[in-house]
Amino acid sequence: MLFAESPLVGTWRSTIDFGDEVVYLSLIIKEEPTGLSASMVNAVNGKQVLVDSIKFGDRKIELAIPTHGGKYVGTVVGGTINGYWTIGNKGVPLNFQRSDKPVVTISQAEREFAVSYLEKTRKEFEDSISGLTPAQWNYKPSSGGWSIAECAEHIATGEDLIFNLVVSSLLKPADPEAARTGREQDARIITGMTDRSKKGKAPEVLKPTGKYPTPESVVSAFDEKRDRSVAFVKLSQDDLRGRITPNRSFGTVDAYQYILFMAAHSSRHTAQLNDVKADAGYPK
């Protein structure tokens, strides 16, 4: 049988939910002069999972994945591959769906806007906490409210919480009948999130605990999280506009808009920590 006729050639997609982490995978199988080749990409962080070899026969597929010390074994049934990713004696169920049809995804302009906004708000935040003394970092206004250290921790912690909303929305199929609110709602979310005339109360999970003792420590953690989000926006081939969830503040928010929501959240609290600097008792 010619490799071009193989039922494996094409793109397959899957999601693994580990509980504390969701991995969103694309498996690309190609025909090469020497046989079939496979590559696997984690679409959340852009990292490639090395597939050393691929075997296929009698509807059975086996991928050797040396960097992870394991292998994937599955059975091709129509447009699905049902199987397990095993490492040692442990196995994780992993089923792929064929995705060869044209993918409805965000436009290049939407990608560029989201990446630009993520980078802009990153720079504003990191510039605002650069060069602070310990006294400035921990100073609390006499009128009450969070210190700069607490605002910064809230920003960094919020990255994970909001990004998880994006990833969890991808666990469900896109709704072709959903109303796509698009750019008008994008602007409404950014404006609403950065409007500090409307005060909100942080959920318990986002309240500061003092986990970052210095500006450098929070920047290191924040950069890792923000890099992940930038890579996701650049690489995602999913229908982010079709993943729409209810939101008590904005009615509905799609997966793309939660990326903008995340950047706007950091902008909002960067403004809050800059207010601390303007307090009369702020150390000079």
Side-chain angles (χ1 to χ4, degrees), residues 228-272:
R228 171 192 60 191
S229 299
V230 169
F232 174 81
V233 173
K234 288 181 177 179
L235 293 167
S236 176
Q237 291 300 306
D238 211 7
D239 181 7
L240 302 184
R241 291 296 198 183
R243 268 42 184 239
I244 300 169
T245 54
N247 181 275
R248 65 180 183 180
S249 298
F250 300 105
T252 59
V253 176
D254 65 39
Y256 175 81
Q257 287 161 352
Y258 266 124
I259 295 290
L260 305 183
F261 186 104
M262 177 196 304
H265 176 263
S266 65
S267 180
R268 177 187 183 91
H269 292 286
T270 297
Q272 180 184 357

mmCIF file of all heavy atoms in Angstrom, residues 228-272:
data_model
loop_
_atom_site.group_PDB
_atom_site.id
_atom_site.type_symbol
_atom_site.label_atom_id
_atom_site.label_comp_id
_atom_site.label_asym_id
_atom_site.label_seq_id
_atom_site.Cartn_x
_atom_site.Cartn_y
_atom_site.Cartn_z
ATOM 1 N N ARG A 228 3.844 31.674 27.888
ATOM 2 C CA ARG A 228 2.930 30.587 27.533
ATOM 3 C C ARG A 228 1.723 31.122 26.773
ATOM 4 O O ARG A 228 1.306 30.552 25.758
ATOM 5 C CB ARG A 228 2.485 29.870 28.805
ATOM 6 C CG ARG A 228 1.366 28.858 28.636
ATOM 7 C CD ARG A 228 0.812 28.447 29.992
ATOM 8 N NE ARG A 228 0.264 29.585 30.723
ATOM 9 C CZ ARG A 228 -0.082 29.552 32.006
ATOM 10 N NH1 ARG A 228 0.081 28.449 32.713
ATOM 11 N NH2 ARG A 228 -0.581 30.618 32.593
ATOM 12 N N SER A 229 1.173 32.229 27.236
ATOM 13 C CA SER A 229 -0.012 32.797 26.596
ATOM 14 C C SER A 229 0.305 33.337 25.211
ATOM 15 O O SER A 229 -0.477 33.169 24.268
ATOM 16 C CB SER A 229 -0.592 33.918 27.475
ATOM 17 O OG SER A 229 -0.970 33.417 28.737
ATOM 18 N N VAL A 230 1.466 33.988 25.079
ATOM 19 C CA VAL A 230 1.879 34.514 23.770
ATOM 20 C C VAL A 230 2.065 33.369 22.782
ATOM 21 O O VAL A 230 1.607 33.442 21.632
ATOM 22 C CB VAL A 230 3.167 35.347 23.908
ATOM 23 C CG1 VAL A 230 3.748 35.674 22.532
ATOM 24 C CG2 VAL A 230 2.899 36.638 24.685
ATOM 25 N N ALA A 231 2.725 32.289 23.222
ATOM 26 C CA ALA A 231 2.932 31.135 22.346
ATOM 27 C C ALA A 231 1.602 30.519 21.933
ATOM 28 O O ALA A 231 1.417 30.124 20.774
ATOM 29 C CB ALA A 231 3.804 30.095 23.054
ATOM 30 N N PHE A 232 0.672 30.453 22.861
ATOM 31 C CA PHE A 232 -0.641 29.884 22.552
ATOM 32 C C PHE A 232 -1.341 30.693 21.457
ATOM 33 O O PHE A 232 -1.880 30.125 20.501
ATOM 34 C CB PHE A 232 -1.505 29.852 23.811
ATOM 35 C CG PHE A 232 -2.921 29.406 23.558
ATOM 36 C CD1 PHE A 232 -3.229 28.070 23.451
ATOM 37 C CD2 PHE A 232 -3.938 30.342 23.407
ATOM 38 C CE1 PHE A 232 -4.529 27.654 23.202
ATOM 39 C CE2 PHE A 232 -5.234 29.942 23.155
ATOM 40 C CZ PHE A 232 -5.536 28.595 23.052
ATOM 41 N N VAL A 233 -1.341 32.019 21.589
ATOM 42 C CA VAL A 233 -2.010 32.866 20.595
ATOM 43 C C VAL A 233 -1.352 32.705 19.227
ATOM 44 O O VAL A 233 -2.030 32.631 18.194
ATOM 45 C CB VAL A 233 -1.987 34.342 21.026
ATOM 46 C CG1 VAL A 233 -2.530 35.244 19.920
ATOM 47 C CG2 VAL A 233 -2.802 34.535 22.301
ATOM 48 N N LYS A 234 -0.051 32.622 19.195
ATOM 49 C CA LYS A 234 0.661 32.512 17.916
ATOM 50 C C LYS A 234 0.392 31.168 17.230
ATOM 51 O O LYS A 234 0.336 31.094 16.004
ATOM 52 C CB LYS A 234 2.161 32.671 18.143
ATOM 53 C CG LYS A 234 2.600 34.093 18.484
ATOM 54 C CD LYS A 234 4.110 34.157 18.673
ATOM 55 C CE LYS A 234 4.573 35.583 18.941
ATOM 56 N NZ LYS A 234 6.050 35.653 19.145
ATOM 57 N N LEU A 235 0.231 30.111 18.018
ATOM 58 C CA LEU A 235 0.194 28.760 17.451
ATOM 59 C C LEU A 235 -1.192 28.134 17.337
ATOM 60 O O LEU A 235 -1.386 27.231 16.534
ATOM 61 C CB LEU A 235 1.072 27.837 18.296
ATOM 62 C CG LEU A 235 2.570 28.117 18.248
ATOM 63 C CD1 LEU A 235 3.281 27.355 19.357
ATOM 64 C CD2 LEU A 235 3.149 27.732 16.893
ATOM 65 N N SER A 236 -2.135 28.581 18.135
ATOM 66 C CA SER A 236 -3.426 27.896 18.187
ATOM 67 C C SER A 236 -4.109 27.875 16.818
ATOM 68 O O SER A 236 -4.209 28.895 16.141
ATOM 69 C CB SER A 236 -4.354 28.584 19.194
ATOM 70 O OG SER A 236 -5.631 27.969 19.168
ATOM 71 N N GLN A 237 -4.562 26.707 16.433
ATOM 72 C CA GLN A 237 -5.331 26.551 15.201
ATOM 73 C C GLN A 237 -6.777 26.178 15.512
ATOM 74 O O GLN A 237 -7.484 25.635 14.662
ATOM 75 C CB GLN A 237 -4.673 25.487 14.321
ATOM 76 C CG GLN A 237 -3.336 25.897 13.749
ATOM 77 C CD GLN A 237 -3.434 27.138 12.887
ATOM 78 O OE1 GLN A 237 -4.237 27.190 11.942
ATOM 79 N NE2 GLN A 237 -2.650 28.157 13.190
ATOM 80 N N ASP A 238 -7.203 26.476 16.706
ATOM 81 C CA ASP A 238 -8.549 26.125 17.117
ATOM 82 C C ASP A 238 -9.504 27.301 16.873
ATOM 83 O O ASP A 238 -9.080 28.445 16.668
ATOM 84 C CB ASP A 238 -8.555 25.754 18.598
ATOM 85 C CG ASP A 238 -9.622 24.723 18.907
ATOM 86 O OD1 ASP A 238 -10.247 24.215 17.956
ATOM 87 O OD2 ASP A 238 -9.830 24.427 20.070
ATOM 88 N N ASP A 239 -10.776 26.994 16.917
ATOM 89 C CA ASP A 239 -11.813 28.012 16.753
ATOM 90 C C ASP A 239 -12.050 28.699 18.096
ATOM 91 O O ASP A 239 -12.981 28.358 18.829
ATOM 92 C CB ASP A 239 -13.094 27.362 16.231
ATOM 93 C CG ASP A 239 -14.214 28.368 16.003
ATOM 94 O OD1 ASP A 239 -13.955 29.584 16.115
ATOM 95 O OD2 ASP A 239 -15.341 27.932 15.731
ATOM 96 N N LEU A 240 -11.201 29.653 18.435
ATOM 97 C CA LEU A 240 -11.303 30.336 19.724
ATOM 98 C C LEU A 240 -12.567 31.187 19.817
ATOM 99 O O LEU A 240 -13.119 31.374 20.899
ATOM 100 C CB LEU A 240 -10.068 31.207 19.955
ATOM 101 C CG LEU A 240 -8.716 30.493 19.925
ATOM 102 C CD1 LEU A 240 -7.588 31.467 20.261
ATOM 103 C CD2 LEU A 240 -8.693 29.308 20.871
ATOM 104 N N ARG A 241 -13.032 31.684 18.693
ATOM 105 C CA ARG A 241 -14.268 32.486 18.687
ATOM 106 C C ARG A 241 -15.508 31.623 18.900
ATOM 107 O O ARG A 241 -16.547 32.124 19.324
ATOM 108 C CB ARG A 241 -14.394 33.245 17.369
ATOM 109 C CG ARG A 241 -13.387 34.361 17.165
ATOM 110 C CD ARG A 241 -13.569 35.462 18.172
ATOM 111 N NE ARG A 241 -12.916 36.700 17.755
ATOM 112 C CZ ARG A 241 -12.865 37.814 18.490
ATOM 113 N NH1 ARG A 241 -13.429 37.837 19.684
ATOM 114 N NH2 ARG A 241 -12.262 38.891 18.047
ATOM 115 N N GLY A 242 -15.392 30.336 18.596
ATOM 116 C CA GLY A 242 -16.544 29.448 18.734
ATOM 117 C C GLY A 242 -16.673 28.829 20.110
ATOM 118 O O GLY A 242 -17.644 28.132 20.386
ATOM 119 N N ARG A 243 -15.682 29.077 20.979
ATOM 120 C CA ARG A 243 -15.737 28.570 22.358
ATOM 121 C C ARG A 243 -16.254 29.694 23.243
ATOM 122 O O ARG A 243 -15.485 30.547 23.702
ATOM 123 C CB ARG A 243 -14.353 28.133 22.813
ATOM 124 C CG ARG A 243 -13.981 26.687 22.596
ATOM 125 C CD ARG A 243 -14.381 26.087 21.288
ATOM 126 N NE ARG A 243 -14.050 24.667 21.217
ATOM 127 C CZ ARG A 243 -13.258 24.153 20.298
ATOM 128 N NH1 ARG A 243 -12.707 24.918 19.386
ATOM 129 N NH2 ARG A 243 -13.023 22.855 20.284
ATOM 130 N N ILE A 244 -17.548 29.717 23.484
ATOM 131 C CA ILE A 244 -18.199 30.841 24.166
ATOM 132 C C ILE A 244 -18.779 30.369 25.491
ATOM 133 O O ILE A 244 -19.478 29.361 25.549
ATOM 134 C CB ILE A 244 -19.295 31.436 23.266
ATOM 135 C CG1 ILE A 244 -18.671 31.942 21.951
ATOM 136 C CG2 ILE A 244 -20.033 32.571 23.980
ATOM 137 C CD1 ILE A 244 -19.671 32.302 20.895
ATOM 138 N N THR A 245 -18.458 31.094 26.552
ATOM 139 C CA THR A 245 -18.939 30.725 27.887
ATOM 140 C C THR A 245 -19.627 31.914 28.546
ATOM 141 O O THR A 245 -19.299 33.075 28.265
ATOM 142 C CB THR A 245 -17.778 30.255 28.781
ATOM 143 O OG1 THR A 245 -16.754 31.266 28.806
ATOM 144 C CG2 THR A 245 -17.170 28.969 28.241
ATOM 145 N N PRO A 246 -20.576 31.659 29.449
ATOM 146 C CA PRO A 246 -21.250 32.759 30.154
ATOM 147 C C PRO A 246 -20.264 33.477 31.074
ATOM 148 O O PRO A 246 -19.342 32.871 31.623
ATOM 149 C CB PRO A 246 -22.343 32.046 30.961
ATOM 150 C CG PRO A 246 -22.473 30.693 30.362
ATOM 151 C CD PRO A 246 -21.134 30.349 29.817
ATOM 152 N N ASN A 247 -20.490 34.782 31.251
ATOM 153 C CA ASN A 247 -19.674 35.574 32.166
ATOM 154 C C ASN A 247 -20.582 36.601 32.828
ATOM 155 O O ASN A 247 -21.310 37.326 32.136
ATOM 156 C CB ASN A 247 -18.539 36.265 31.411
ATOM 157 C CG ASN A 247 -17.635 37.082 32.302
ATOM 158 O OD1 ASN A 247 -17.921 38.244 32.596
ATOM 159 N ND2 ASN A 247 -16.537 36.483 32.738
ATOM 160 N N ARG A 248 -20.541 36.679 34.156
ATOM 161 C CA ARG A 248 -21.488 37.529 34.874
ATOM 162 C C ARG A 248 -21.249 39.017 34.635
ATOM 163 O O ARG A 248 -22.180 39.823 34.763
ATOM 164 C CB ARG A 248 -21.446 37.228 36.369
ATOM 165 C CG ARG A 248 -20.130 37.557 37.057
ATOM 166 C CD ARG A 248 -20.215 37.230 38.523
ATOM 167 N NE ARG A 248 -18.995 37.588 39.242
ATOM 168 C CZ ARG A 248 -18.817 37.394 40.537
ATOM 169 N NH1 ARG A 248 -19.781 36.829 41.254
ATOM 170 N NH2 ARG A 248 -17.692 37.746 41.115
ATOM 171 N N SER A 249 -20.028 39.390 34.264
ATOM 172 C CA SER A 249 -19.731 40.807 34.036
ATOM 173 C C SER A 249 -20.010 41.238 32.600
ATOM 174 O O SER A 249 -20.438 42.370 32.357
ATOM 175 C CB SER A 249 -18.266 41.111 34.376
ATOM 176 O OG SER A 249 -18.005 40.861 35.737
ATOM 177 N N PHE A 250 -19.762 40.339 31.634
ATOM 178 C CA PHE A 250 -19.849 40.729 30.227
ATOM 179 C C PHE A 250 -20.864 39.913 29.422
ATOM 180 O O PHE A 250 -20.923 40.047 28.200
ATOM 181 C CB PHE A 250 -18.468 40.617 29.582
ATOM 182 C CG PHE A 250 -17.424 41.484 30.226
ATOM 183 C CD1 PHE A 250 -16.465 40.931 31.054
ATOM 184 C CD2 PHE A 250 -17.425 42.860 30.036
ATOM 185 C CE1 PHE A 250 -15.509 41.733 31.671
ATOM 186 C CE2 PHE A 250 -16.480 43.668 30.643
ATOM 187 C CZ PHE A 250 -15.513 43.106 31.462
ATOM 188 N N GLY A 251 -21.662 39.109 30.083
ATOM 189 C CA GLY A 251 -22.659 38.310 29.376
ATOM 190 C C GLY A 251 -22.064 37.019 28.863
ATOM 191 O O GLY A 251 -22.341 35.941 29.376
ATOM 192 N N THR A 252 -21.253 37.133 27.812
ATOM 193 C CA THR A 252 -20.523 35.982 27.286
ATOM 194 C C THR A 252 -19.104 36.421 26.954
ATOM 195 O O THR A 252 -18.846 37.587 26.648
ATOM 196 C CB THR A 252 -21.171 35.404 26.010
ATOM 197 O OG1 THR A 252 -21.213 36.421 24.992
ATOM 198 C CG2 THR A 252 -22.571 34.888 26.277
ATOM 199 N N VAL A 253 -18.183 35.459 27.021
ATOM 200 C CA VAL A 253 -16.788 35.705 26.664
ATOM 201 C C VAL A 253 -16.299 34.499 25.881
ATOM 202 O O VAL A 253 -16.494 33.361 26.301
ATOM 203 C CB VAL A 253 -15.907 35.916 27.924
ATOM 204 C CG1 VAL A 253 -14.447 36.061 27.542
ATOM 205 C CG2 VAL A 253 -16.365 37.135 28.721
ATOM 206 N N ASP A 254 -15.695 34.741 24.707
ATOM 207 C CA ASP A 254 -15.141 33.606 23.970
ATOM 208 C C ASP A 254 -13.682 33.396 24.384
ATOM 209 O O ASP A 254 -13.095 34.189 25.126
ATOM 210 C CB ASP A 254 -15.305 33.784 22.452
ATOM 211 C CG ASP A 254 -14.533 34.957 21.860
ATOM 212 O OD1 ASP A 254 -13.390 35.204 22.297
ATOM 213 O OD2 ASP A 254 -15.056 35.619 20.943
ATOM 214 N N ALA A 255 -13.079 32.293 23.908
ATOM 215 C CA ALA A 255 -11.731 31.924 24.344
ATOM 216 C C ALA A 255 -10.708 32.997 23.966
ATOM 217 O O ALA A 255 -9.789 33.289 24.739
ATOM 218 C CB ALA A 255 -11.341 30.579 23.739
ATOM 219 N N TYR A 256 -10.858 33.585 22.788
ATOM 220 C CA TYR A 256 -9.953 34.662 22.385
ATOM 221 C C TYR A 256 -10.096 35.859 23.316
ATOM 222 O O TYR A 256 -9.103 36.478 23.718
ATOM 223 C CB TYR A 256 -10.267 35.068 20.941
ATOM 224 C CG TYR A 256 -9.484 36.265 20.444
ATOM 225 C CD1 TYR A 256 -8.170 36.119 19.984
ATOM 226 C CD2 TYR A 256 -10.058 37.534 20.411
ATOM 227 C CE1 TYR A 256 -7.459 37.218 19.517
ATOM 228 C CE2 TYR A 256 -9.350 38.629 19.947
ATOM 229 C CZ TYR A 256 -8.048 38.470 19.501
ATOM 230 O OH TYR A 256 -7.332 39.557 19.040
ATOM 231 N N GLN A 257 -11.321 36.186 23.669
ATOM 232 C CA GLN A 257 -11.560 37.339 24.540
ATOM 233 C C GLN A 257 -10.999 37.135 25.947
ATOM 234 O O GLN A 257 -10.626 38.110 26.611
ATOM 235 C CB GLN A 257 -13.056 37.650 24.580
ATOM 236 C CG GLN A 257 -13.549 38.274 23.285
ATOM 237 C CD GLN A 257 -15.046 38.179 23.078
ATOM 238 O OE1 GLN A 257 -15.753 37.502 23.835
ATOM 239 N NE2 GLN A 257 -15.531 38.841 22.044
ATOM 240 N N TYR A 258 -10.916 35.882 26.393
ATOM 241 C CA TYR A 258 -10.300 35.640 27.702
ATOM 242 C C TYR A 258 -8.796 35.953 27.671
ATOM 243 O O TYR A 258 -8.209 36.306 28.696
ATOM 244 C CB TYR A 258 -10.543 34.210 28.173
ATOM 245 C CG TYR A 258 -11.769 34.101 29.057
ATOM 246 C CD1 TYR A 258 -12.806 33.234 28.755
ATOM 247 C CD2 TYR A 258 -11.883 34.891 30.209
ATOM 248 C CE1 TYR A 258 -13.934 33.150 29.580
ATOM 249 C CE2 TYR A 258 -12.998 34.812 31.025
ATOM 250 C CZ TYR A 258 -14.015 33.940 30.704
ATOM 251 O OH TYR A 258 -15.130 33.870 31.519
ATOM 252 N N ILE A 259 -8.158 35.829 26.506
ATOM 253 C CA ILE A 259 -6.767 36.250 26.381
ATOM 254 C C ILE A 259 -6.667 37.765 26.584
ATOM 255 O O ILE A 259 -5.788 38.264 27.302
ATOM 256 C CB ILE A 259 -6.206 35.856 25.001
ATOM 257 C CG1 ILE A 259 -6.144 34.333 24.855
ATOM 258 C CG2 ILE A 259 -4.837 36.494 24.770
ATOM 259 C CD1 ILE A 259 -5.109 33.658 25.718
ATOM 260 N N LEU A 260 -7.568 38.516 25.951
ATOM 261 C CA LEU A 260 -7.591 39.974 26.114
ATOM 262 C C LEU A 260 -7.953 40.332 27.549
ATOM 263 O O LEU A 260 -7.403 41.296 28.122
ATOM 264 C CB LEU A 260 -8.600 40.594 25.145
ATOM 265 C CG LEU A 260 -8.426 40.260 23.658
ATOM 266 C CD1 LEU A 260 -9.467 41.008 22.831
ATOM 267 C CD2 LEU A 260 -7.020 40.602 23.184
ATOM 268 N N PHE A 261 -8.868 39.584 28.129
ATOM 269 C CA PHE A 261 -9.281 39.757 29.522
ATOM 270 C C PHE A 261 -8.054 39.637 30.442
ATOM 271 O O PHE A 261 -7.867 40.423 31.378
ATOM 272 C CB PHE A 261 -10.309 38.662 29.837
ATOM 273 C CG PHE A 261 -10.977 38.743 31.180
ATOM 274 C CD1 PHE A 261 -12.278 39.197 31.289
ATOM 275 C CD2 PHE A 261 -10.327 38.324 32.332
ATOM 276 C CE1 PHE A 261 -12.919 39.241 32.529
ATOM 277 C CE2 PHE A 261 -10.937 38.371 33.569
ATOM 278 C CZ PHE A 261 -12.247 38.837 33.673
ATOM 279 N N MET A 262 -7.201 38.647 30.173
ATOM 280 C CA MET A 262 -5.997 38.420 30.969
ATOM 281 C C MET A 262 -5.059 39.618 30.902
ATOM 282 O O MET A 262 -4.541 40.091 31.927
ATOM 283 C CB MET A 262 -5.285 37.172 30.449
ATOM 284 C CG MET A 262 -3.958 36.861 31.141
ATOM 285 S SD MET A 262 -2.993 35.687 30.172
ATOM 286 C CE MET A 262 -4.158 34.346 30.020
ATOM 287 N N ALA A 263 -4.804 40.111 29.683
ATOM 288 C CA ALA A 263 -3.912 41.259 29.523
ATOM 289 C C ALA A 263 -4.498 42.496 30.191
ATOM 290 O O ALA A 263 -3.777 43.271 30.830
ATOM 291 C CB ALA A 263 -3.665 41.516 28.040
ATOM 292 N N ALA A 264 -5.811 42.690 30.043
ATOM 293 C CA ALA A 264 -6.469 43.845 30.657
ATOM 294 C C ALA A 264 -6.439 43.743 32.179
ATOM 295 O O ALA A 264 -6.344 44.758 32.883
ATOM 296 C CB ALA A 264 -7.907 43.958 30.155
ATOM 297 N N HIS A 265 -6.513 42.528 32.703
ATOM 298 C CA HIS A 265 -6.442 42.324 34.154
ATOM 299 C C HIS A 265 -5.093 42.807 34.690
ATOM 300 O O HIS A 265 -5.022 43.491 35.718
ATOM 301 C CB HIS A 265 -6.637 40.840 34.474
ATOM 302 C CG HIS A 265 -6.500 40.507 35.924
ATOM 303 N ND1 HIS A 265 -5.321 40.019 36.460
ATOM 304 C CD2 HIS A 265 -7.375 40.595 36.961
ATOM 305 C CE1 HIS A 265 -5.477 39.817 37.752
ATOM 306 N NE2 HIS A 265 -6.716 40.154 38.087
ATOM 307 N N SER A 266 -4.008 42.469 33.989
ATOM 308 C CA SER A 266 -2.698 42.935 34.442
ATOM 309 C C SER A 266 -2.582 44.446 34.312
ATOM 310 O O SER A 266 -1.978 45.106 35.163
ATOM 311 C CB SER A 266 -1.578 42.231 33.663
ATOM 312 O OG SER A 266 -1.593 42.562 32.301
ATOM 313 N N SER A 267 -3.191 45.017 33.272
ATOM 314 C CA SER A 267 -3.164 46.473 33.102
ATOM 315 C C SER A 267 -3.912 47.170 34.233
ATOM 316 O O SER A 267 -3.462 48.195 34.758
ATOM 317 C CB SER A 267 -3.786 46.842 31.753
ATOM 318 O OG SER A 267 -3.781 48.244 31.559
ATOM 319 N N ARG A 268 -5.046 46.619 34.595
ATOM 320 C CA ARG A 268 -5.864 47.203 35.673
ATOM 321 C C ARG A 268 -5.077 47.288 36.982
ATOM 322 O O ARG A 268 -5.063 48.324 37.649
ATOM 323 C CB ARG A 268 -7.118 46.342 35.871
ATOM 324 C CG ARG A 268 -8.019 46.805 37.020
ATOM 325 C CD ARG A 268 -9.152 45.818 37.266
ATOM 326 N NE ARG A 268 -10.053 46.280 38.305
ATOM 327 C CZ ARG A 268 -11.147 47.011 38.094
ATOM 328 N NH1 ARG A 268 -11.484 47.352 36.864
ATOM 329 N NH2 ARG A 268 -11.910 47.391 39.098
ATOM 330 N N HIS A 269 -4.384 46.203 37.317
ATOM 331 C CA HIS A 269 -3.696 46.164 38.607
ATOM 332 C C HIS A 269 -2.313 46.813 38.548
ATOM 333 O O HIS A 269 -1.760 47.170 39.594
ATOM 334 C CB HIS A 269 -3.662 44.735 39.127
ATOM 335 C CG HIS A 269 -5.024 44.236 39.497
ATOM 336 N ND1 HIS A 269 -5.686 44.659 40.631
ATOM 337 C CD2 HIS A 269 -5.883 43.411 38.842
ATOM 338 C CE1 HIS A 269 -6.874 44.085 40.690
ATOM 339 N NE2 HIS A 269 -7.018 43.328 39.608
ATOM 340 N N THR A 270 -1.779 46.990 37.338
ATOM 341 C CA THR A 270 -0.587 47.822 37.204
ATOM 342 C C THR A 270 -0.935 49.263 37.554
ATOM 343 O O THR A 270 -0.171 49.953 38.242
ATOM 344 C CB THR A 270 -0.018 47.746 35.781
ATOM 345 O OG1 THR A 270 0.404 46.404 35.511
ATOM 346 C CG2 THR A 270 1.166 48.688 35.605
ATOM 347 N N ALA A 271 -2.102 49.718 37.110
ATOM 348 C CA ALA A 271 -2.562 51.066 37.474
ATOM 349 C C ALA A 271 -2.769 51.169 38.985
ATOM 350 O O ALA A 271 -2.466 52.207 39.599
ATOM 351 C CB ALA A 271 -3.850 51.395 36.728
ATOM 352 N N GLN A 272 -3.263 50.093 39.593
ATOM 353 C CA GLN A 272 -3.466 50.094 41.043
ATOM 354 C C GLN A 272 -2.139 50.232 41.790
ATOM 355 O O GLN A 272 -2.030 51.011 42.743
ATOM 356 C CB GLN A 272 -4.160 48.797 41.468
ATOM 357 C CG GLN A 272 -4.423 48.699 42.970
ATOM 358 C CD GLN A 272 -5.037 47.360 43.371
ATOM 359 O OE1 GLN A 272 -5.324 46.522 42.512
ATOM 360 N NE2 GLN A 272 -5.232 47.161 44.656
#
